[in-house]
Amino acid sequence: MSHGWFDEEAGPIVRPYAMTRGRTRGTVDHPLDLIALVTAETGDQEGAAGTGSDLTDRELAPEHAEIMRRCRRTTESVAELATGLDLPVGVVRVLISDLLDAGLVRVSRPVPASQLQDDSTLREVIDGLRAL
């Protein structure tokens, strides 16, 4: 018997909204840019998961656990995580937000282009270094 949401070879499909419990946004104050870098916190993860987050019983959902596993090995951007997990970016943003709320990851946001130095300043620094 075949259902529209079931593939005999792949097994049952978990819809993205089921992974996020219907949420389309996380609780993070600022949206997570595609190039924001996610790093797993090194510390007492058992204690951190009990900080009032939606992660219950101090147990991570498989998708949360996979993000943690990947970010323990190396810092990854939101886009890299979405690609590696084969999940929509919106879903990954919500999952990362859950992990942020639980204190399990740290996110380094990129510097806005408006705050970057302009080319002339950088050229002056290079010229000054060459003069030494």
Side-chain angles (χ1 to χ4, degrees), residues 4-73:
W5 57 270
F6 191 82
D7 181 343
E8 293 294 329
E9 292 179 20
I13 298 171
V14 177
R15 299 287 185 204
Y17 63 82
M19 287 180 229
T20 62
R21 295 179 299 283
R23 297 171 295 145
T24 58
R25 293 188 180 136
T27 59
V28 178
D29 292 338
H30 303 288
L32 296 171
D33 293 323
L34 290 175
I35 58 174
L37 299 175
V38 182
T39 306
E41 288 288 353
T42 58
D44 180 22
Q45 294 171 2
E46 286 291 311
T51 60
S53 72
D54 288 335
L55 300 176
T56 59
D57 299 330
R58 297 184 180 166
E59 194 171 302
L60 300 175
E63 295 80 16
H64 290 110
E66 181 63 15
I67 290 172
M68 289 297 299
R69 185 186 67 74
R70 293 176 67 95
C71 293
R72 274 191 202 108
R73 286 186 307 178

Side-chain angles (χ1 to χ4, degrees), residues 56-120:
T56 59
D57 299 330
R58 297 184 180 166
E59 194 171 302
L60 300 175
E63 295 80 16
H64 290 110
E66 181 63 15
I67 290 172
M68 289 297 299
R69 185 186 67 74
R70 293 176 67 95
C71 293
R72 274 191 202 108
R73 286 186 307 178
T74 183
T75 298
E76 290 196 28
S77 70
V78 173
E80 290 170 324
L81 286 168
T83 300
L85 297 169
D86 196 25
L87 291 173
V89 171
V91 170
V92 172
R93 285 178 170 150
V94 172
L95 296 173
I96 292 169
S97 177
D98 292 344
L99 294 170
L100 273 169
D101 288 347
L104 297 174
V105 296
R106 162 176 86 253
V107 174
S108 304
R109 291 179 175 82
V111 177
S114 62
Q115 294 180 3
L116 293 175
Q117 298 292 328
D118 62 357
D119 288 343
S120 64

